Amino acid sequence: MISSPMPDISYRVYSHTFKLDPIVRSLLDTDVYKLLMLQTIWKERADVPVTFSLINRTQSVRIAEEIDEAQLREQLDHARSLTLSKQERIWLAGNTFYGTERLFSAEFLHWLKTYQLPEYELRVINGQYEITFEGRWADVTMWEIPVLSIISELRSRAAMQPINRFELDVLYARAKAKLWEKVLRLNNLPELRIADFGTRRRHSFLWQKWCISAMQEGLGDKFIGTSNVLLAGQLDVEAIGTNAHELPMVEAALAQSDNDLLHSPYNVLKMWRRTYDGNLLIVLPDTYGTNTYLKHAPDWVTEWSGFRIDSKEPIAGGRELINWWKQRGVDPNEKLLIFSDGLTVDKIEQVYHEFHGKVRLSFGWGTHLTNDFRDCATKQNDALRAISLVCKVTHANGEPTVKLSDNFHKATGPKASIDHYRTVFDQKPVDEGAVEV
């Protein structure tokens, strides 16, 4: 894929006259972990009926009062019209991911050749958009990233619509300076490894592209890639990502007994390993609580390359994993810890100084990279502040799905189901950090 020149973002925002300015330009404008999971789903659980739902965890923000419904439907409908181009299919088939050629099988790519996003249902309830996607798991799962990036960018567009030409120049100049100061701070960390994980809640596609380019320029080899497949191709960087909570949530919903439920997260690892190996063997342990996950983990889990710490307080989570490896006779310096939850520069520096030299270390930097416009506008504009918006699988095979998380604020599912899962997984209350993004 060939990169286009970097546009003047503020001028584009102010003066564009397109009838429809697409937010999602390609099916590859998504996170690579969605394609990696899709291949596993397609092989193992393609026909499981599922429902995905948009969830706004920042209830104080009434999205339906910020975003025009007609514009939202236009963007969703445009995303549904997309298929992979011949050039994109060739790139997926021939590119090397994680040092592996032909990571995606010929059979999977043949199926993906005609893939399009399925239908959606949209309603407005109490100032919020309720958007649901129902169907076969292999068909529905790819909606997660497009719907989140569409709503995030539509919020940005609505917030900037009243801003005049020169104020927009100042807004983006301040945002660029703010990001560059972060990059300079990060560049002071020797042997740092950091990637862009900011697609889902980005300010805009063009802004994410600028952020990645700035990271390339300012960090050099310390910047290891982006989760966004399209931008990885355009900017000639690695596509970085592994897997997410969606897999264990569906597998748990399929469990026939409490014992099956308790051990369902490890079934996910077995399925994953039937397709991937090496650096893609990264465990995400917090779906039903990290403590219980590690307590019941089979010995072969120690053979995996590393863990991604998501919802647990990062210092506590990192120490817990290092101790777990040591107790099992494993040298932590041979293992990888990936931190990715709500990372600010302050938090990255804190985690880096705690664990550098004790374990292989990597960071996935998300919303605070690609959507941090706080205090950048010349006038107070809260609509430019990122919110905690997610799109989760909410039902599978007719059963409600549940995510407990290490942070109780992030739990999803009906209360009765959450209570049952907490009993099965023996999850105790923990210190709950505020959920900002």
Side-chain angles (χ1 to χ4, degrees):
M1 290 183 282
I2 301 174
S3 177
S4 55
M6 192 65 64
D8 181 334
I9 301 177
S10 63
Y11 182 76
R12 170 75 175 271
V13 170
Y14 178 75
S15 65
H16 80 75
T17 57
F18 309 122
K19 182 178 180 181
L20 174 67
D21 189 0
I23 291 173
V24 177
R25 295 153 167 79
S26 163
L27 283 176
L28 295 188
D29 184 12
T30 191
D31 284 337
V32 70
Y33 80 83
K34 293 303 298 189
L35 288 176
L36 295 171
M37 290 198 302
L38 177 59
Q39 182 167 230
T40 297
I41 293 165
W42 174 79
K43 287 176 61 178
E44 306 274 355
R45 298 280 191 268
D47 294 328
V48 173
V50 299
T51 301
F52 277 68
S53 303
L54 181 75
I55 301 170
N56 179 15
R57 297 189 295 213
T58 311
Q59 284 290 299
S60 60
V61 175
R62 299 166 69 86
I63 301 174
E65 296 176 4
E66 295 182 337
I67 297 173
D68 178 73
E69 182 177 338
Q71 291 182 11
L72 175 56
R73 289 186 181 275
E74 277 187 325
Q75 294 292 343
L76 295 173
D77 291 342
H78 174 75
R80 287 198 62 221
S81 72
L82 298 172
T83 57
L84 289 180
S85 69
K86 181 178 180 180
Q87 182 183 23
E88 290 171 337
R89 296 197 307 270
I90 293 171
W91 185 81
L92 276 179
N95 196 49
T96 299
F97 298 88
Y98 291 89
T100 302
E101 294 184 3
R102 300 188 180 183
L103 185 64
F104 300 107
S105 72
E107 295 79 9
F108 172 68
L109 292 177
H110 178 75
W111 175 81
L112 197 62
K113 180 179 179 180
T114 57
Y115 175 83
Q116 289 181 274
L117 293 168
E119 295 181 358
Y120 62 89
E121 292 187 9
L122 186 154
R123 297 189 300 167
V124 178
I125 300 178
N126 296 325
Q128 303 291 349
Y129 282 118
E130 182 181 277
I131 308 177
T132 56
F133 314 94
E134 295 184 1
R136 296 168 68 248
W137 193 8
D139 297 331
V140 173
T141 182
M142 289 294 287
W143 257 121
E144 178 189 358
I145 305 303
V147 70
L148 293 176
S149 57
I150 284 170
I151 289 181
S152 184
E153 184 161 347
L154 283 177
R155 289 191 70 239
S156 299
R157 292 183 182 185
M160 294 186 297
Q161 196 277 329
I163 302 178
N164 67 41
R165 173 74 176 93
F166 290 97
E167 285 180 316
L168 280 173
D169 269 343
V170 173
L171 172 71
Y172 280 103
R174 288 176 173 175
K176 289 178 179 179
K178 185 177 185 180
L179 175 58
W180 192 248
E181 288 299 318
K182 295 178 183 180
V183 169
L184 293 179
R185 283 176 61 180
L186 292 175
N187 200 36
N188 289 324
L189 304 178
E191 300 177 349
L192 176 71
R193 291 172 54 82
I194 190 166
D196 156 49
F197 277 16
T199 300
R200 294 187 300 163
R201 303 188 191 105
R202 66 192 181 197
H203 170 79
S204 71
F205 173 82
L206 294 178
W207 180 247
Q208 184 183 15
K209 187 174 184 178
W210 191 92
C211 292
I212 294 170
S213 299
M215 296 270 280
Q216 285 181 286
E217 177 73 20
L219 295 178
D221 292 342
K222 296 175 183 176
F223 178 64
I224 59 174
T226 173
S227 63
N228 188 289
V229 185
L230 182 65
L231 290 172
Q234 290 185 355
L235 299 175
D236 193 26
V237 298
E238 289 288 331
I240 301 292
T242 54
N243 54 72
H245 302 100
E246 173 186 343
L247 296 178
M249 289 171 70
V250 172
E251 190 67 16
L254 300 178
Q256 298 297 307
S257 68
D258 285 353
N259 186 63
D260 289 344
L261 175 59
L262 180 63
H263 293 92
S264 61
Y266 315 113
N267 293 338
V268 171
L269 301 189
K270 293 175 183 177
M271 288 191 297
W272 189 260
R273 191 156 196 174
R274 285 196 284 267
T275 302
Y276 305 114
D277 58 16
N279 290 330
L280 281 171
L281 297 183
I282 302 297
V283 181
L284 180 62
D286 71 317
T287 309
Y288 303 117
T290 299
N291 293 349
T292 300
Y293 190 99
L294 297 179
K295 178 181 177 181
H296 295 280
D299 289 341
W300 51 261
V301 176
T302 61
E303 300 169 6
W304 280 48
S305 301
F307 282 71
R308 178 162 72 90
I309 297 175
D310 186 56
S311 58
K312 197 156 199 170
E313 193 283 319
I315 300 297
R319 289 173 177 171
E320 182 177 21
L321 262 301
I322 288 175
N323 288 334
W324 184 79
W325 277 316
K326 287 181 177 179
Q327 289 167 5
R328 283 153 183 79
V330 176
D331 181 0
N333 284 293
E334 297 177 356
K335 299 298 181 179
L336 175 66
L337 283 184
I338 301 173
F339 295 87
S340 62
D341 183 35
L343 294 179
T344 62
V345 171
D346 288 343
K347 190 179 292 187
I348 293 170
E349 290 175 332
Q350 180 188 17
V351 172
Y352 172 89
H353 290 304
E354 171 69 26
F355 297 114
H356 181 236
K358 300 176 183 177
V359 67
R360 292 167 55 212
L361 197 57
S362 183
F363 297 91
W365 196 13
T367 308
H368 290 293
L369 167 64
T370 61
N371 199 354
D372 186 5
F373 280 70
R374 292 168 296 178
D375 303 319
C376 291
T378 57
K379 301 173 184 176
Q380 181 67 25
N381 194 334
D382 288 336
L384 281 171
R385 182 181 291 268
I387 62 175
S388 184
L389 195 69
V390 295
C391 181
K392 294 290 185 184
V393 57
T394 50
H395 288 83
N397 203 34
E399 297 293 329
T401 56
V402 173
K403 176 190 172 191
L404 297 183
S405 177
D406 283 321
N407 182 338
F408 279 19
H409 285 307
K410 288 188 172 185
T412 61
K415 183 180 184 305
S417 299
I418 290 175
D419 291 343
H420 177 67
Y421 273 58
R422 283 182 174 157
T423 299
V424 171
F425 288 97
D426 192 28
Q427 190 183 42
K428 301 294 191 291
V430 294
D431 292 334
E432 300 179 10
V435 179
E436 296 183 8
V437 293

